[in-house]
Amino acid sequence: MSAHQQFADDLALLALGTLQGDERVALEKHMEGCPACRRELERLRGDTALLALSASGPKPPQRSRERLLKAIAQEPRAKKIPARRSSSNFKPWLAAVAFLLLAGFFWRQSDRLAQRVAQLQDESVQQQAQLERAREVVSTLTSTDAMRVTLVAAQTPPQPQGKAIYVRERASLIFLASNLVSLPPQKAYELWLIR
Amino acid sequence: MSLVWGIRSGDEGAMATLYDRYSSLVYAVALRVLGETGAAEDVLQEVFMQLWRNPAAFDSGRGNLGAWLGVITRNRAIDGLRKRRPETDIADVVVSVEPDMADAAERSRAMEKVRGALVGMPEAQRSALEMAYFEGLTHTEIAAKTGEPLGTIKTRIRAGLQALRKVFEA
Ligand SMILES: [Zn+2]
């Protein structure tokens, strides 16, 4: 019997949060060195989430929504921003024709990126060319000395604007913004991807 | 998949969107565990405040928010039920699950499937699973309650969870 099989039942209990004592200690120790069990624990937690779905009932009362919104209004977010979300403080940049451009890429796993680059290098000349073009686009977007111009009708005052281009499969995101209002010190812009 | 940004006034708007999308799920889970509306409302409030205070706790690269909220809510409610201090930090909870629960229609389809799977289970298996999940009983407590061997209870619980998973693998 392999170690995983020995721990299989206990993993389910751990996912449910009901495993205690020595059994829990032993399993947690085993998991430190066992990615397979850690993955299985995540999946079992997912299974418990399915169980959550079997709960049904009335909607929460309207007062709950008001209570929450009131509470968050009274408790502004701290200025510390989690690194895994795209966020930045924007400042208006130069005058009306100057636009702030921000491009960010999320690469979900840097080793996947490295692998991908290696793969591309091995592939055909055509793909090399495509990659070059892609790189040019990116470097143009991200270049600090690039000139950015937005064309608008005359007499139009500068409008705050943000544009996000997101490709789920590649986990890559480009965010372009211009003329965003500068925020008080405690506030920051955030971009949320919600699944 | 949707893209929401909270702009200008922090992200109260984004929170309201999340609330509108997931509050029914969160409340239903809390109410099922606690059986009392006042306590369920408190858990609802707590769960969303946790998300507000620490949005980074949810790792969007590794699971969907609906599933994660379901798990967090159940854990909070059980802690309340069993009068214990919160055991796990919410940031430690990683959930991977197949169905995308962001969409209300998707969620109700998933719900039907789960209920179907529960109905299709042997009674003893379903009840062991529900006692562990919605009452937070340990396998020892369930064994004492049902008079069955510990090993049997453990195996039933695991098999029950896996049976739910299978419904979505087909
Ligand atoms: Zn293992």
Side-chain angles (χ1 to χ4, degrees), chain A residues 18-178:
Chain A
T18 62
L19 191 69
Q20 306 295 339
D22 294 346
E23 288 173 309
R24 178 167 172 168
V25 173
L27 176 55
E28 284 175 342
K29 190 159 177 260
H30 165 77
M31 282 202 310
E32 277 169 25
C34 183
C37 279
R38 289 201 297 269
R39 264 198 310 278
E40 177 62 8
L41 179 66
E42 281 184 31
R43 295 190 72 194
L44 286 162
R45 283 221 179 95
D47 300 335
T48 70
L50 295 177
L51 212 41
L53 282 183
S54 72
S56 65
K59 280 182 171 294
Q62 180 62 25
R63 64 169 176 271
S64 293
R65 191 178 196 277
E66 284 149 20
R67 180 182 170 195
L68 176 73
L69 296 182
K70 205 170 146 192
I72 63 177
Q74 282 169 357
E75 191 181 308
R77 273 269 167 78
K79 61 175 178 287
K80 200 176 111 266
I81 299 302
R84 62 169 74 104
R85 294 214 161 74
S86 132
S87 58
S88 294
N89 273 304
F90 296 109
K91 289 194 176 75
W93 190 55
L94 297 181
V97 285
F99 296 91
L100 182 70
L101 183 145
L102 214 130
F105 277 79
F106 287 169
W107 295 98
R108 196 173 280 175
Q109 291 152 344
S110 56
D111 54 340
R112 209 169 69 183
L113 172 62
Q115 263 179 11
R116 189 167 156 71
V117 170
Q119 249 176 31
L120 284 166
Q121 281 166 347
D122 291 342
E123 283 171 11
S124 70
V125 177
Q126 191 190 0
Q127 279 172 320
Q128 284 280 9
Q130 282 174 349
L131 183 62
E132 273 316 305
R133 272 206 303 280
R135 280 185 178 143
E136 268 172 41
V137 171
V138 172
S139 75
T140 307
L141 283 171
T142 53
S143 168
T144 47
D145 53 4
M147 190 176 175
R148 287 124 196 152
V149 177
T150 297
L151 301 178
V152 293
Q155 311 297 327
T156 310
Q159 294 294 313
Q161 214 179 51
K163 226 172 237 179
I165 302 148
Y166 176 63
V167 183
R168 184 184 187 172
E169 269 180 8
R170 274 183 256 156
S172 82
L173 185 143
I174 299 179
F175 182 65
L176 307 169
S178 56

Side-chain angles (χ1 to χ4, degrees), chain B residues 17-35:
Chain B
T17 305
L18 291 181
Y19 180 89
D20 292 340
R21 193 179 284 174
Y22 296 111
S23 60
S24 296
L25 172 67
V26 168
Y27 185 67
V29 172
L31 191 57
R32 169 84 188 260
V33 172
L34 296 161

Side-chain angles (χ1 to χ4, degrees), chain B residues 20-84:
Chain B
D20 292 340
R21 193 179 284 174
Y22 296 111
S23 60
S24 296
L25 172 67
V26 168
Y27 185 67
V29 172
L31 191 57
R32 169 84 188 260
V33 172
L34 296 161
E36 202 253 300
T37 54
E41 284 172 45
D42 289 345
V43 167
L44 175 69
Q45 173 83 359
E46 264 176 52
V47 166
F48 280 98
M49 284 310 286
Q50 289 272 346
L51 186 60
W52 173 250
R53 289 179 187 134
N54 186 12
F58 170 63
D59 184 343
S60 59
R62 304 187 68 187
N64 77 52
L65 185 57
W68 185 79
L69 285 170
V71 172
I72 296 295
T73 304
R74 177 270 180 184
N75 291 351
R76 271 295 131 98
I78 293 289
D79 288 339
L81 186 72
R82 309 212 84 190
K83 306 271 185 283
R84 32 176 218 218

